[in-house]
Amino acid sequence: MSFQTEIAAALQEVEGILSKSLTWNSTTYACNPSGLSKQNELGPGGFSGESTISFSIRKELFTGALPQPGQSVVFESATYKIDEVVTDASSAFVRLICIDPNL
């Protein structure tokens, strides 16, 4: 079993435990979300906030193009904007680093 296959199998096992999913491009994908992080930064005119969350999705679940920065995903009824798309070294999964566009 290759390293990529082992990572994908482990992610699939965690997906079964968490039972979480997100929607991108009208398709629902099983995912492994990270914790939601909220930051407040003091700037001119007061505080500005930013919420970030990341999602790991098995690359094999995507049948066509991968998500791109600037696109949106929906997770637990909240919409997030994709800020960065990262593929791991083994290409077993894609990590979407997202921000809350409402803050």
Side-chain angles (χ1 to χ4, degrees), residues 82-98:
I82 300 171
D83 189 49
E84 188 176 355
V85 179
V86 180
T87 302
D88 74 306
S90 71
S91 294
F93 67 91
V94 174
R95 177 163 291 133
L96 305 180
I97 301 168
C98 301

Side-chain angles (χ1 to χ4, degrees), residues 33-70:
S34 71
L36 181 65
S37 171
K38 295 185 178 187
Q39 300 175 11
N40 285 317
E41 187 174 304
L42 180 59
F47 284 97
S48 63
E50 182 177 272
S51 295
T52 59
I53 188 169
S54 66
F55 305 95
S56 296
I57 304 168
R58 285 180 290 129
K59 193 172 182 182
E60 66 191 33
L61 297 179
F62 296 101
T63 57
L66 295 176
Q68 297 297 311

